[in-house]
Amino acid sequence: MRTHTRQIILARRPDGIPCADDFALREVPLPVPAEGELLIENLYLSLDAAIRSWMKEDCTYFPPIPLGAPVRSTALGRVLASRHPDFRPGDVGVAYACSAWAGHATVPAAQFHRVDAGADHPLHYHLSLFSAMGLTPYFGMLDIGRPRPGETALISAAAGAVGSLAGQIARIKGCRVVGIAGSDEKCRMLVDEFGFDAAFNYKGKDCAQLSQDIARLCPDGVDIFFDNVGGEILDAALLNLAMFARIAFCGAIGDYNRQGPIPGPYHYWQILARCATVRGFLTLHYQDRFPAAIAEMRGWLADGRLKLSEDIVQGLDSVVPAFARLFRGENTGKLLVKLETGAG
Amino acid sequence: MRTHTRQIILARRPDGIPCADDFALREVPLPVPAEGELLIENLYLSLDAAIRSWMKEDCTYFPPIPLGAPVRSTALGRVLASRHPDFRPGDVGVAYACSAWAGHATVPAAQFHRVDAGADHPLHYHLSLFSAMGLTPYFGMLDIGRPRPGETALISAAAGAVGSLAGQIARIKGCRVVGIAGSDEKCRMLVDEFGFDAAFNYKGKDCAQLSQDIARLCPDGVDIFFDNVGGEILDAALLNLAMFARIAFCGAIGDYNRQGPIPGPYHYWQILARCATVRGFLTLHYQDRFPAAIAEMRGWLADGRLKLSEDIVQGLDSVVPAFARLFRGENTGKLLVKLETGAG
């Protein structure tokens, strides 16, 4: 029986992209669950951009991670000890935003969601395809994009896990799909591995050049724009909308590190000129449709029409370098950390 | 029989609010209709904000008005000569976006829509309530706003013809309606004459102050924003959206006279945060539903639930000063010019 575990604690608040000196590794006695809590062994950690904002002292939508405390994370874990009547040792589930970068953690039972560990897909899909990450492109593309055969769908951050799924779902629905990504290698991958019809590299291009690339690859205009990025890429897409275009507003990662007031798209007017629709959405509002969505995605996986883009690293020592890669756009899919079972 | 007519031509491209020097009046021989065209005598001109955007060299959604050409306009006119088998001299109709600021003009028969001159309402209603002006708030509020009883609708440029109708239609559908207008007098009119629940004056206020006014008058948030204006008022509205809000993007009159790149709304992000929908629309796409819409509005007029706000000036010499008033927010309703019959 283990008596200790390893944790990565927040040693200071990062300035820019987090680096090794912002964290410290320590070995501590296994934490003891309070009433209503569970002790879990983490099997996989989910490295999400949101964790970066929890590290900020002025984080508003979630309590900031205290200095000296383990870094908060979503994780897939196995229950070792339970002080809640609904859970027993051996249960496997996802602890949403309440586990830690650590071999083990105590979590509130209310935030732990049991999963079916015996299903016909890898266990870690519960942290990716069958979590918000996979459901976001599903509902964004289908409910807001409303793809019709022969239409053109344009995807920004297309080589990311969300973007690559959004594009594949549009393909399944009969669209021509064009991706925008940050390297020629990613563009090749989109076409060769994920079945995109075309892709182009946005790096080093201004709005006019981006607009030319879109016009060239989407000669009939953009019917659906799945927007993960905002900024100049959004503006370039607005300049190429087909009439009655739909924009699924999923994120604006290009703006997250900007300072001061951020102007909206300069070509906002095109929304009127093209009778377009821009809709923001949060996947949690589709909760009642999760089971049906997961069932449909399982079918696409089974018949090979959907591939998941994953980037899985091994061991607690890989967490900090992998997290930094996320902000340099160097990951190639959903970033997960697989922990050595029992190794802490 | 007249041989000449007077035209207002575009002498230079306006910088800001159009002024007298941007135009020139000239007398020319009556234009001669080509095959498929009609010569019409204009009875009423419709002064629309859209005309200002047609004056821009870079107008994208419609051909820009060439320098030296008569200013394009929608007009109610009487056919004097026809080179199309469907029309005869004496027919009265509306020439959509193809007549001119002139006593007479030739128009394509395909853009001339005969009206019933003997109906039980004033002839000029065909340029206002039963034209794009009246149909725009009808479809914008009902199809995009989708008002539900108890919701809050916020209307910018609310004392204008479109805005006052949009607000009244939201009231008919059971919404609480708040108007934004450019004078205290207009605000009083909205509440006392048009049945708005509240209204406030935007003049001299920045985005933060506008946002406070909206928050005060829309304590449960804005479910529907009928946007005629864009700019800071749009930004202030974005800061006060209720979840799942709908924004009918009808115009951006505040931007029409601005030069250079116009930043989109600084609070564009709120579209995502509130899961809101922004939709642009052009009334002409609802053409198949015009008869039903007009019938419904007639019913509302008849039972006193809908009032039309009009501002009618006389004679061609009044056109330019009245058009400038439109952009200073000084008109009190739909701006029409009544031309002296036969006077050119």
Side-chain angles (χ1 to χ4, degrees), chain B residues 170-192:
Chain B
R171 280 279 297 168
I172 290 170
K173 296 295 175 181
C175 289
R176 170 179 168 76
V177 177
V178 176
I180 309 176
S183 76
D184 293 345
E185 176 52 34
K186 286 181 178 179
C187 291
R188 266 191 299 277
M189 183 187 76
L190 286 173
V191 172
D192 294 346

Side-chain angles (χ1 to χ4, degrees), chain A residues 36 269 334:
Chain A
W269 173 260
K334 172 64 190 168

Side-chain angles (χ1 to χ4, degrees), chain A residues 227 234 243-244 247 249-252 256 261-266 268-273 275-282 285, chain B residues 60-61 227 234 243-244 249-252 256 261-266 268-269 271-273 275-282 285:
Chain A
D227 185 16
L234 168 57
M243 284 300 292
F244 307 110
I247 298 179
F249 183 7
C250 177
Y256 292 167
I262 299 168
Y266 284 82
Y268 183 80
W269 173 260
Q270 294 299 316
I271 298 167
L272 175 49
C275 297
T277 300
V278 178
R279 211 164 116 203
F281 68 107
L282 295 175
H285 293 128
Chain B
T60 50
Y61 77 105
D227 185 15
L234 167 58
M243 284 301 290
F244 307 110
F249 182 7
C250 175
Y256 293 171
I262 299 167
Y266 285 82
Y268 182 82
W269 174 261
I271 298 167
L272 176 49
C275 298
T277 300
V278 178
R279 210 164 118 203
F281 68 107
L282 295 175
H285 294 127

Side-chain angles (χ1 to χ4, degrees), chain B residues 17 22 60 91 150 170 178 202 241 273 308 312 323:
Chain B
I17 294 179
D22 298 327
T60 50
D91 284 348
V178 176
Y202 70 83
L241 296 182
L308 179 58
I312 302 180
F323 191 60

Side-chain angles (χ1 to χ4, degrees), chain A residues 43-46 76 92 94 115 121-131 133 308 310-312 334 336-338:
Chain A
L43 305 176
Y44 288 89
L45 303 177
S46 177
L76 182 86
V92 173
V94 175
V115 300
H121 55 74
L123 192 57
H124 66 262
Y125 275 24
H126 291 291
L127 276 187
S128 56
L129 196 59
F130 305 140
S131 74
M133 189 234 91
L308 180 58
E310 297 179 307
D311 190 337
I312 303 180
K334 172 64 190 168
L336 297 178
V337 183
K338 184 180 195 319

Side-chain angles (χ1 to χ4, degrees), chain A residues 290-302:
Chain A
F290 281 5
I294 289 172
E296 185 164 28
M297 286 201 289
R298 263 189 164 132
W300 292 334
L301 268 182

